Amino acid sequence: DLSGPGCTLDDSFSGNGWAIFDDESFCDTEDCDVLDLVEIRPATGAVVAPRIVALVRSEVNFLAARFFLLGLTASGAIDTGFSGDGWMEVTKSGIGPLYPQASLAVDGVGRLYVLAARYEPDTIDIDTLLFRYLANGALDSDFAVAGMALLEDHGPNDTFDPLPRDVASSPDGTSVSVYQYDADEAKI
């Protein structure tokens, strides 16, 4: 409720306190959602000025989506120092379509973690994936198998289909916690 006392938009962010980023072709006008936001701080050593990174979902259909990382400056402008144009698609060759839920975290050295799920190719089985990106938006080839870890895969016809809920990193970046669920069952 912006009518309350002291509740105003910060117009130092993009000139008016809010910004619309769904004019990209993959958003098909108004089909993108911001799912998560993190800040990479200069103290990490990864950036010289604060950078905000948004996890953006472009819905393909109710069972599939594309995900993008969007780098922003502290003032809300698209940060072209992030992946060359500010945008990086969360994907890797051969993983198939992604389930429309995902989560984003940043560690103490400025690396970005995206927890997502995919439909196993040629089946309706769901597997959990963890991607790691560098502060500049590049997939971190030193993490797991070329930047992506397959966390959960019980075979093509399993009955356990974990869905991503949340991801968090330790302050020093040495460990990552993944939260997922299957129906009513939470799992770490």
Side-chain angles (χ1 to χ4, degrees):
D1 180 8
L2 293 177
S3 64
C7 189
T8 59
L9 289 171
D10 179 1
D11 62 9
S12 69
F13 182 81
S14 73
N16 56 13
W18 52 271
I20 296 174
F21 301 107
D22 69 352
D23 57 351
E24 298 293 322
S25 61
F26 48 80
C27 287
D28 191 25
T29 61
E30 301 180 11
D31 285 342
C32 278
D33 302 309
V34 174
L35 299 182
D36 228 334
L37 290 171
V38 296
E39 181 182 25
I40 304 174
R41 297 181 180 164
T44 64
V47 292
V48 294
R51 174 181 288 147
I52 299 166
V53 178
L55 177 62
V56 177
R57 174 181 59 203
S58 173
E59 191 171 301
V60 174
N61 60 48
F62 73 99
L63 290 175
R66 293 171 68 192
F67 294 96
F68 298 85
L69 296 175
L70 169 61
L72 302 169
T73 66
S75 65
I78 291 180
D79 186 349
T80 57
F82 184 81
S83 188
D85 65 357
W87 292 91
M88 171 55 75
E89 185 165 8
V90 177
T91 190
K92 190 173 173 203
S93 177
I95 65 167
L98 294 175
Y99 189 80
Q101 267 176 268
S103 185
L104 174 65
V106 63
D107 70 16
V109 292
R111 296 175 299 202
L112 301 159
Y113 296 86
V114 178
L115 178 64
R118 68 153 183 197
Y119 288 102
E120 199 165 302
D122 303 323
T123 73
I124 57 169
D125 180 51
I126 298 173
D127 299 325
T128 308
L129 311 168
L130 184 64
F131 297 87
R132 186 167 81 184
Y133 289 85
L134 301 175
N136 66 3
L139 194 59
D140 186 352
S141 61
D142 290 336
F143 177 72
V145 179
M148 184 192 81
L150 177 60
L151 301 180
E152 202 74 62
D153 183 4
H154 295 284
N157 297 313
D158 68 8
T159 58
F160 181 71
D161 286 329
L163 299 174
R165 175 59 86 195
D166 204 0
V167 61
S169 174
S170 62
D172 62 2
T174 58
S175 66
V176 178
S177 298
V178 172
Y179 304 88
Q180 56 192 20
Y181 68 95
D182 182 33
D184 298 325
E185 186 177 315
K187 180 179 180 181
I188 296 178

